[in-house]
Amino acid sequence: MNLYRDEAVVLRTQKLGEADRIITFLTRNTGRVRAVGKGVRRTKSKFGARLEPFMHVDVQFARGRTLDIVTQAETLSPFGEAISGDYARYTAGTAMLETAERLVVEELEPALQQYLLLVGALRVLAGGERDGSLVLDSFLLRSLAVAGYAPTFGGCARCGAPGPHRSFSAGAGGMLCGSCRVPGAATPAAETVVLLGALLAGDWPTAEAVDPRFRKAASGVVAAYLQWHLERSLRSLVHVER
Amino acid sequence: MVQDLIDELGRLPGVGPKSAQRIAFHLLSTDPTDVRRLAGVLMEVKDRVRFCVTCGNVAEEEQCRICRDPRRDLTVLCVVEESKDVIAIERTREFRGRYHVLGGAISPIEGIGPDELRIRELMQRLADDTVTEVILATDPNLEGEATATYLTRMLRPLGLRVTRLASGLPVGGDLEYADEVTLGRAFEGRRSVDD
């Protein structure tokens, strides 16, 4: 049997047959992996509880012809327990998992930065010290940046003229100066732009210092930017409790 | 025509192309009366079975057998995800209250939020103060736990007793094989043996 072992976060599970599940993982070294968890829906399953979404696990796979098979799993961090105990955090976390799954397009292509970003974001979300909605927005921006779609909240996204600027266009890639402004560009408040820049940079003291009134507008900008680049809306984003 | 039958059988859950072929050839060699009886039952089930207007369970009349039963305890309501969970709980013969079937669990990644489930109907059922305890019997997986968390938040202001099914070690298993999440839950929900 051709076995390999990796650290992974469970992104999604789908029922398969009587008691099995197809589990989608984001692994540290192998990227996105879809594998079958045999008998994991049975109450006496040895590792069913370890293969739930949000779980950070050390997994052993056996290579299969179409799908690999999970042969062993050990828990590294049980994020699922803490996250599912708070509904707002659960909805935010689900949007993170869906984004990670969509941005790591190719199966078995290593995506170390996306993996590390997701593990870090889930750890913060499960810890509960920061606002779940802010953690989600910061993750979405940084995950897009890792995928090559980094927005610009400082200088002009077109000509590079130093900011701050007033117009925002998802299609143009961020803030635009007066001369590069495109029709239909949004004009978020200056505080919203500061918040977005801080979330992208992971600058939590600045992000948390911005008046919470501007968080909703920032989330709207992030959602628009994400949907523009994914070319399809995220199913879970509409269910996020802000 | 035989291929059509194999294709139709292959669309059933858990039936692969090989099994579909086996069932199809079994039906071909079976006595016509038995096949007619099976076809009749399939049509009858499709025509007569619907969802109970009160609890959402499968029913042959407007209300299901359990909602119509006057011996059932009206003060306890058990909330489950699917009708098959009602059957599983009924098999225990431990529960004498009534049920409410949500029709699934909250799963944003599948596009299922609280509005897609029968939560509004649950709140309407609880409005007349007859029910004093709600048992949350959603699956002990992530979606089920999140649904229970959401329902707890909705039900708490009503002043009801809200309980959740215990989770922990399966009967007949070995402790050493239990995973840490399950074992942790078993510790959390441990009970005194004095009473």
Side-chain angles (χ1 to χ4, degrees):
Chain A
M1 209 186 326
N2 189 356
L3 299 172
Y4 65 102
R5 193 175 154 182
D6 213 334
E7 285 177 22
V9 172
V10 178
L11 299 181
R12 178 199 283 261
T13 62
Q14 290 154 280
K15 287 181 183 175
L16 176 72
E18 191 83 353
D20 306 342
R21 274 203 178 112
I22 296 177
I23 300 151
T24 308
F25 297 92
L26 180 60
T27 65
R28 175 185 270 270
N29 302 310
T30 329
R32 189 157 63 88
V33 174
R34 289 174 81 226
V36 178
K38 296 228 179 230
V40 292
R41 282 155 60 202
R42 294 191 206 281
T43 47
K44 285 187 188 175
S45 165
K46 276 184 291 178
F47 48 61
R50 297 181 184 132
L51 298 176
E52 289 276 294
F54 299 116
M55 291 298 274
H56 182 210
V57 278
D58 184 349
V59 210
Q60 181 172 275
F61 301 97
R63 283 188 215 282
R65 254 182 301 176
T66 45
L67 291 172
D68 294 349
I69 292 163
V70 179
T71 55
Q72 285 182 37
E74 289 293 327
T75 308
L76 295 173
S77 325
F79 296 134
E81 280 280 287
I83 292 174
S84 66
D86 180 309
Y87 187 70
R89 267 191 268 161
Y90 167 71
T91 56
T94 313
M96 285 184 194
L97 298 185
E98 193 181 355
T99 306
E101 190 187 7
R102 294 279 291 278
L103 287 176
V104 180
V105 183
E106 291 292 323
E107 278 187 38
L108 309 178
E109 280 286 321
L112 180 63
Q113 274 186 291
Q114 288 287 7
Y115 168 80
L116 293 174
L117 188 67
L118 181 62
V119 172
L122 291 179
R123 183 162 287 128
V124 175
L125 192 68
E129 294 101 34
R130 301 204 190 282
D131 178 74
S133 173
L134 280 186
V135 177
L136 170 64
D137 288 336
S138 177
F139 171 80
L140 296 178
L141 290 172
R142 297 174 79 181
S143 179
L144 280 163
V146 168
Y149 306 116
T152 309
F153 295 117
C156 172
R158 279 235 168 118
C159 67
H165 302 296
R166 290 191 57 216
S167 306
F168 173 84
S169 161
M175 302 305 293
L176 295 173
C177 66
S179 44
C180 293
R181 188 182 190 280
V182 290
T187 46
E191 289 86 345
T192 307
V193 181
V194 170
L195 175 58
L196 288 165
L199 290 174
L200 176 62
D203 178 359
W204 285 101
T206 308
E208 285 173 339
V210 174
D211 193 322
R213 281 185 299 143
F214 298 102
R215 288 180 184 175
K216 202 169 180 184
S219 297
V221 171
V222 174
Y225 193 79
L226 180 77
Q227 296 195 2
W228 173 271
H229 288 287
L230 289 179
E231 293 176 351
R232 201 150 57 96
S233 58
L234 280 189
R235 275 174 156 185
S236 50
L237 210 54
V238 289
H239 297 290
V240 173
E241 270 204 347
R242 301 276 188 184
Chain B
M1 198 184 272
V2 175
Q3 190 55 48
D4 289 346
L5 176 61
I6 296 173
D7 292 345
E8 286 303 319
L9 289 168
R11 290 168 57 186
L12 297 173
V15 180
K18 269 276 180 215
S19 313
Q21 194 176 320
R22 207 170 54 240
I23 299 168
F25 281 104
H26 170 77
L27 289 174
L28 286 176
S29 61
T30 308
D31 191 68
T33 336
D34 291 343
V35 179
R36 232 171 258 127
R37 196 174 55 239
L38 173 66
V41 170
L42 286 175
M43 287 312 297
E44 199 180 341
V45 161
K46 205 60 207 158
D47 290 341
R48 285 186 53 194
V49 174
R50 47 190 146 161
F51 293 104
C52 171
V53 287
T54 312
C55 73
N57 190 11
V58 285
E60 287 175 32
E61 291 170 40
E62 200 161 284
Q63 277 194 316
C64 71
R65 185 177 49 82
I66 297 168
C67 287
R68 287 198 317 265
D69 188 346
R71 290 165 301 173
R72 288 275 176 168
D73 185 352
L74 296 178
T75 62
V76 191
L77 193 68
C78 180
V79 180
V80 294
E81 289 181 19
E82 308 280 355
S83 294
K84 57 189 181 208
D85 301 327
V86 173
I87 299 170
I89 296 174
E90 283 297 285
R91 267 203 308 260
T92 67
R93 297 171 189 266
E94 289 278 332
F95 179 65
R96 296 301 303 157
R98 295 204 292 177
Y99 295 92
H100 189 85
V101 182
L102 292 174
I106 297 174
S107 176
I109 212 159
E110 306 292 340
I112 302 169
D115 294 344
E116 278 70 41
L117 303 176
R118 300 183 68 255
I119 293 177
R120 202 176 301 119
E121 288 85 343
L122 172 66
M123 301 311 281
Q124 281 165 4
R125 279 183 84 178
L126 299 175
D128 66 356
D129 293 339
T130 318
V131 175
T132 55
E133 180 181 355
V134 175
I135 303 170
L136 301 176
T138 51
D139 286 347
N141 56 25
L142 187 89
E143 283 91 9
E145 290 298 338
T147 309
T149 305
Y150 180 83
L151 288 175
T152 308
R153 203 177 64 179
M154 299 284 287
L155 299 176
R156 204 167 273 153
L158 303 181
L160 299 160
R161 182 165 183 244
V162 182
T163 54
R164 175 90 176 105
L165 282 194
S167 14
L169 300 168
V171 178
D174 280 12
L175 193 82
E176 63 168 317
Y177 289 117
D179 63 274
E180 47 290 326
V181 180
T182 310
L183 199 52
R185 290 270 191 88
F187 263 97
E188 221 176 72
R190 69 187 186 279
R191 61 190 170 84
S192 164
V193 290
D194 297 339
D195 16 273

